[in-house]
Amino acid sequence: MKAARFLFTVLLLPSLHAADLKLAGVFTDHTVLQREQPLPVWGWATPEEQITVTFAGQSKSVKADAGGKWFVRLDPLPASAEGRDLIARSDTG
């Protein structure tokens, strides 16, 4: 079985304080992701904040719960050696 390699850079975009939007620690530069499997992405934000995650041409939005936790599941992707950016942004600012 061949392993897929999705190289990506995590970007937390504009006007955010470091404490407002955080991705789980597993999302770092040069992370390798499983091909053809749904991609769970999660983290923390201000409670009730709208979060949008964009990766490899797809985008999913979710609202953080009362405790600030959020979770989205991106659709499965084919194998690729192309580096890609995982972008998480909030509606703050």
Side-chain angles (χ1 to χ4, degrees):
M1 178 183 263
K2 293 182 181 178
R5 291 183 181 240
F6 291 106
L7 303 177
F8 64 91
T9 304
V10 175
L11 301 174
L12 297 179
L13 291 179
S15 303
L16 297 177
H17 296 98
D20 291 339
L21 177 59
K22 292 183 181 179
L23 285 167
V26 299
F27 299 104
T28 61
D29 288 348
H30 308 293
T31 297
V32 177
L33 305 172
Q34 179 68 43
R35 70 177 177 176
E36 298 172 6
Q37 296 293 317
L39 173 60
V41 180
W42 68 98
W44 301 267
T46 302
E48 307 300 320
E49 187 169 30
Q50 186 74 23
I51 308 300
T52 301
V53 175
T54 304
F55 181 65
Q58 60 181 299
S59 186
K60 303 275 178 145
S61 293
V62 66
K63 190 180 228 183
D65 67 16
K69 296 176 187 174
W70 58 269
F71 174 92
V72 297
R73 189 178 309 272
L74 298 175
D75 299 330
L77 295 165
S80 174
E82 175 187 347
R84 299 178 179 172
D85 293 333
L86 173 69
I87 301 169
R89 73 181 82 168
S90 75
D91 61 0
T92 301

